Amino acid sequence: MRNLKLPNNEMNASELSLGCMRISKLTNQEISTLIHTALDEGINFFDHADVYGGGKCEEKFSEALNMNSGLRDRMILQTKVGIRQGSFDFSREHILEAVDGSLKRLRTEYLDVLLLHRPDALVEPEEVAEAFTILETSGKVKYFGVSNQNPMQIELLRKFVKQKILFNQLQLSITNTSMIDAGINVNMQINHSVDRDGSILDYCRLNEITIQPWSPFQYGFFEGVFLDSPKFPELNEKINAIAADKGVTNTAIAIAWLLRHPAHMQPILGTTSPQRVKDACKASDITLTREEWYAIYLAAGNKLP
Ligand SMILES: NC(=O)c1ccc[n+]([C@@H]2O[C@H](COP(=O)([O-])OP(=O)(O)OC[C@H]3O[C@@H](n4cnc5c(N)ncnc54)[C@H](OP(=O)(O)O)[C@@H]3O)[C@@H](O)[C@H]2O)c1
C-alpha cells in the first residue's frame, strides 16, 4: 500500500481509506475481521461520521476491536459532524457536542481528522473557527477538513478558521464524474460543460486539499454498484479487459482509475467484504496508463470534444 502525499501535515496516511458507514449491520466478529484485513493490507485510515447508523457505526467499531491504545496508535481516525435530524448544524455548540459524542463512541481521546459533513446554509464561520480552535487546543482534534463543499464555501471558512483545511470529501466514481467532465468540456453547449461545483477539482489541487472520493463503486446517489451491472455493458467490458491484462479484479481497476488522477486523491472504500478490501488494495500496486484512463472514461459514456 502506497502512502499518500498529504500536504501540510505529518500524517503517514495510506492512499486508501476504509469508510465505516455500512458496518452497523455486521456482527462484532465481522467488523473485527474487516478492520484487521484492512490493517493487514496497509490501510491505516478509517472514515466515520457521527450519523452513520445513528452512532452505531462508531460505537460498534470500537467495541468490536476492543479499542486499546496499541491499536489506536496504528490508526488514523476521521469522523464527520454537522448533520442532524432535519437540519445541518455547524454551530460552535453543536460541533463541540458532536465531537464529544464521537470521542466517547470511538473510545478514544482524540480524533486525527474532523470533517464538516455537509454545508450548513446557516453557517457562521466565526463559530466554526472558535470550535476548531477549542478542539485543537484541547487536543481533541489534530487536523480539520470539509465534505461536499465548493470553493467559495471553503474560502469563507478559510477567512476565519486558523487551521488548514486538509480534506474535502466528495462524491466521485467512474460513473459520477461531473467535476472532471466540466474541465474537459469548457465553454461547450452541452450538459457535460456545466460547472456544478465551482471547479472544485482544480481548486483543491491549487490549495493542497486532498479529495477523498466517496461511493467509489456506486452510480447515481447510492443507486447501485456499476461493476458487473448490465446498465454499463461497455464500461464493464473495458474495465474487465484492463483487469485481465493486469491480473487484478474489476474492483481494483475502479479504484486505480481514481488513483491515476494526479490530484493524489484518497478514495474511501465502503465495502464490508474483506475480500473486496483485498481486491481494492491491489489498485495501489498498479498505475493505469493515460490511454487506459481515458478509455475507461469514454467507455462510461463520456465523449471528448
Ligand atoms: N461525505 C459524504 O457525504 C459521504 C457520503 C457517503 C459515503 N461516505 C463515505 O464513503 C464511504 C464509501 O461510500 P459507499 O459505501 O457508498 O461506497 P462504495 O464502496 O461505492 O459502496 C459500497 C457498497 O457497494 C457494494 N459493493 C462494492 N463493490 C461491489 C461489487 N463489486 N459488487 C457488489 N457490491 C459491491 C458494497 O457491498 P459489500 O459490502 O457486500 O461489499 C457496499 O454495499 C462510506 O463508508 C463513508 O465513509 C461519505
Side-chain angles (χ1 to χ4, degrees), residues 19 22 47 52 147-148 169 214-218 270-272 276:
R22 300 176 190 264
D47 181 62
Y52 290 163
S147 171
N148 305 305
Q169 202 170 108
W214 58 262
S215 287
F217 301 112
Q218 305 276 323
T271 181
T272 56
R276 276 203 255 279

Side-chain angles (χ1 to χ4, degrees), residues 242 246 257 260 286-295:
I242 295 174
K246 300 205 181 293
W257 190 82
R260 175 61 180 82
I286 57 175
T287 303
L288 297 184
T289 63
R290 177 179 294 272
E291 290 72 22
E292 288 165 339
W293 189 92
Y294 270 99

Side-chain angles (χ1 to χ4, degrees), residues 204-224:
C204 287
R205 293 182 78 178
L206 276 168
N207 290 282
E208 299 187 310
I209 295 172
T210 299
I211 293 177
Q212 296 179 326
W214 58 262
S215 287
F217 301 112
Q218 305 276 323
Y219 61 91
F221 190 64
F222 305 120
E223 279 179 49

Side-chain angles (χ1 to χ4, degrees), residues 152-187:
M152 291 309 274
Q153 290 168 328
I154 299 174
E155 282 296 301
L156 180 63
L157 284 178
R158 284 169 54 152
K159 183 171 160 66
F160 298 92
V161 168
K162 289 201 189 75
Q163 296 74 16
K164 288 204 183 317
I165 302 294
L166 293 185
F167 298 96
N168 191 10
Q169 202 170 108
L170 295 161
Q171 187 177 12
L172 179 63
S173 76
I174 298 168
T175 52
N176 270 318
T177 51
S178 59
M179 73 174 83
I180 293 171
D181 306 338
I184 290 179
N185 297 280
V186 173
N187 201 28

Side-chain angles (χ1 to χ4, degrees), residues 188-203:
M188 308 275 295
Q189 300 296 314
I190 53 171
N191 193 32
H192 268 42
S193 185
V194 177
D195 182 354
R196 299 175 194 280
D197 48 45
S199 301
I200 191 63
L201 177 51
D202 291 325
Y203 174 86

Side-chain angles (χ1 to χ4, degrees), residues 98-109:
V99 167
D100 282 343
S102 288
L103 291 174
K104 199 166 161 206
R105 287 189 293 276
L106 286 165
R107 297 190 197 173
T108 180
E109 282 168 11

Side-chain angles (χ1 to χ4, degrees), residues 74-285:
R74 291 171 60 199
M75 293 180 165
I76 296 174
L77 289 187
Q78 168 173 282
T79 198
K80 305 187 277 302
V81 299
I83 297 184
R84 304 186 79 164
Q85 191 71 36
S87 72
F88 299 127
D89 191 347
F90 287 178
S91 66
R92 170 185 184 275
E93 191 189 9
H94 178 68
I95 293 171
L96 296 177
E97 213 176 82
V99 167
D100 282 343
S102 288
L103 291 174
K104 199 166 161 206
R105 287 189 293 276
L106 286 165
R107 297 190 197 173
T108 180
E109 282 168 11
Y110 68 96
L111 298 170
D112 295 279
V113 186
L114 177 71
L115 306 186
L116 298 176
H117 204 157
R118 273 204 176 269
D120 173 12
L122 304 182
V123 61
E124 297 188 49
E126 299 90 332
E127 288 209 17
V128 175
E130 273 182 48
F132 279 13
T133 296
I134 292 169
L135 291 169
E136 186 183 51
T137 49
S138 63
K140 289 182 181 177
V141 177
K142 290 187 177 173
Y143 300 106
F144 298 85
V146 297
S147 171
N148 305 305
Q149 295 212 7
N150 70 30
M152 291 309 274
Q153 290 168 328
I154 299 174
E155 282 296 301
L156 180 63
L157 284 178
R158 284 169 54 152
K159 183 171 160 66
F160 298 92
V161 168
K162 289 201 189 75
Q163 296 74 16
K164 288 204 183 317
I165 302 294
L166 293 185
F167 298 96
N168 191 10
Q169 202 170 108
L170 295 161
Q171 187 177 12
L172 179 63
S173 76
I174 298 168
T175 52
N176 270 318
T177 51
S178 59
M179 73 174 83
I180 293 171
D181 306 338
I184 290 179
N185 297 280
V186 173
N187 201 28
M188 308 275 295
Q189 300 296 314
I190 53 171
N191 193 32
H192 268 42
S193 185
V194 177
D195 182 354
R196 299 175 194 280
D197 48 45
S199 301
I200 191 63
L201 177 51
D202 291 325
Y203 174 86
C204 287
R205 293 182 78 178
L206 276 168
N207 290 282
E208 299 187 310
I209 295 172
T210 299
I211 293 177
Q212 296 179 326
W214 58 262
S215 287
F217 301 112
Q218 305 276 323
Y219 61 91
F221 190 64
F222 305 120
E223 279 179 49
V225 176
F226 61 79
L227 291 176
D228 298 322
S229 163
K231 287 184 188 231
F232 301 93
E234 203 187 324
L235 176 61
N236 277 294
E237 197 182 314
K238 181 56 70 185
I239 289 177
N240 290 342
I242 295 174
D245 186 48
K246 300 205 181 293
V248 296
T249 59
N250 55 0
T251 297
I253 298 300
I255 298 302
W257 190 82
L258 296 169
L259 293 178
R260 175 61 180 82
H261 195 284
H264 302 297
M265 300 182 193
Q266 185 186 36
I268 312 193
L269 311 172
T271 181
T272 56
S273 144
Q275 186 55 52
R276 276 203 255 279
V277 168
K278 287 186 192 173
D279 291 345
C281 287
K282 293 276 184 295
S284 197
D285 301 334

